[in-house]
C-alpha cells in the first residue's frame, strides 16, 4: 500500500538524500487513496492548523506487511505521547480502517444535516452504512469532496 508522509519543505533535501527516518514514535503517514482532493487534504490541513507558516512536501513510499504493525487514528489530538490501543496487523485491515473512516464521515455528515447536533451515542459508522445502502454513489462523491474531512472542524468553531 502506498502512503504519504508530509514534511516541511526545508526537510526535503535531507529526506531525498537519506530517506525518511523512523523516530522512536514511528512515522506519521496516510494511505494514498488516488482521490486528489483527499490525498492533498493533509497538505492543506497542516498549513492551516500549524501556525509555523511552513509549506509541506509529500513523500510517497510503500508499506508492506513486514512493516506492520501500525496504528491508525484521527490526527486531531494524536501526539507522540499517545498510546494507540489497536494495532493494524495486515494491509487489508489498514484498508478497512481507511474505508471505515470514509463511511464514518458520511454518517457524521448525515447526522449533522438531519437533526442538528448529535449526541455522544450517535453511531456514525451505522448511519454511514445506511446512507450508502440508500445511495451507493455517495461513497465516491464523498472521496471527491475536498471538504469532507473538514466537517468536524467546521461545525465546532
Amino acid at each position: 500500500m502506498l502512503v504519504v508522509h508530509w514534511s516541511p519543505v526545508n526537510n526535503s533535501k535531507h529526506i531525498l538524500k537519506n530517506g525518511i527516518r523512523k523516530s522512536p514514535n514511528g512515522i506519521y503517514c496516510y494511505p494514498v487513496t488516488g482521490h486528489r482532493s483527499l490525498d492533498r487534504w493533509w497538505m492543506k490541513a497542516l498549513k492551516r492548523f500549524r501556525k509555523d507558516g511552513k509549506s509541506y512536501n509529500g513523500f510517497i513510499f510503500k508499506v508492506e506487511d513486514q512493516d506492520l504493525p501500525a496504528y491508525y487514528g484521527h490526527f486531531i489530538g494524536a501526539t507522540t505521547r499517545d498510546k494507540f490501543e489497536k494495532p493494524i496487523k495486515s494491509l487489508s485491515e489498514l484498508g478497512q480502517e481507511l474505508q471505515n473512516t470514509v463511511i464514518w464521515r458520511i454518517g457524521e455528515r448525515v447526522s449533522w444535516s438531519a437533526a442538528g447536533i448529535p449526541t455522544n451515542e450517535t453511531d456514525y459508522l451505522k448511519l454511514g452504512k445506511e446512507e450508502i445502502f440508500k445511495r451507493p454513489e455517495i461513497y465516491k462523491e464523498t472521496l471527491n469532496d475536498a471538504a469532507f474531512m473538514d466537517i468536524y472542524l467546521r461545525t465546532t468553531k
Side-chain angles (χ1 to χ4, degrees):
M1 174 179 286
L2 293 178
V3 296
V4 61
H5 169 73
W6 293 98
S7 184
V9 169
N10 61 335
N11 294 345
S12 296
K13 187 176 180 179
H14 179 78
I15 290 173
L16 290 172
K17 182 179 178 183
N18 302 307
I20 298 171
R21 302 283 183 196
K22 185 172 99 171
S23 76
N25 300 311
I27 299 170
Y28 287 88
C29 55
Y30 190 79
V32 174
T33 66
H35 292 271
R36 185 178 174 159
S37 61
L38 177 57
D39 292 339
R40 293 181 55 83
W41 181 85
W42 289 100
M43 178 184 61
K44 294 173 186 173
L46 287 167
K47 190 169 185 128
R48 183 174 41 202
F49 300 123
R50 295 187 58 123
K51 302 302 179 194
D52 55 15
K54 294 180 181 178
S55 293
Y56 291 82
N57 281 334
F59 295 90
I60 296 176
F61 61 99
K62 189 173 186 175
V63 171
E64 297 178 344
D65 279 321
Q66 63 264 24
D67 299 321
L68 301 174
Y71 298 89
Y72 187 86
H74 201 284
F75 88 101
I76 295 176
T79 68
T80 55
R81 294 182 304 274
D82 287 344
K83 301 284 187 237
F84 293 96
E85 300 295 323
K86 184 182 170 195
I88 304 295
K89 296 179 181 140
S90 71
L91 293 177
S92 61
E93 197 177 333
L94 179 58
Q96 186 62 51
E97 287 293 326
L98 175 61
Q99 185 178 38
N100 284 344
T101 298
V102 175
I103 294 168
W104 190 93
R105 287 290 186 182
I106 292 169
E108 181 185 40
R109 199 173 259 189
V110 166
S111 176
W112 277 96
S113 64
I117 300 173
T119 66
N120 287 340
E121 292 81 38
T122 303
D123 186 346
Y124 295 126
L125 196 56
K126 180 181 176 195
L127 286 174
K129 287 177 181 179
E130 290 169 356
E131 189 66 18
I132 290 169
F133 184 77
K134 287 188 255 179
R135 276 190 340 119
E137 70 278 4
I138 194 169
Y139 189 87
K140 186 173 182 180
E141 288 172 11
T142 300
L143 285 174
N144 288 314
D145 178 359
F148 97 89
M149 289 291 284
D150 289 342
I151 191 160
Y152 173 79
L153 300 168
R154 284 188 289 130
T155 55
T156 58
K157 284 185 177 180

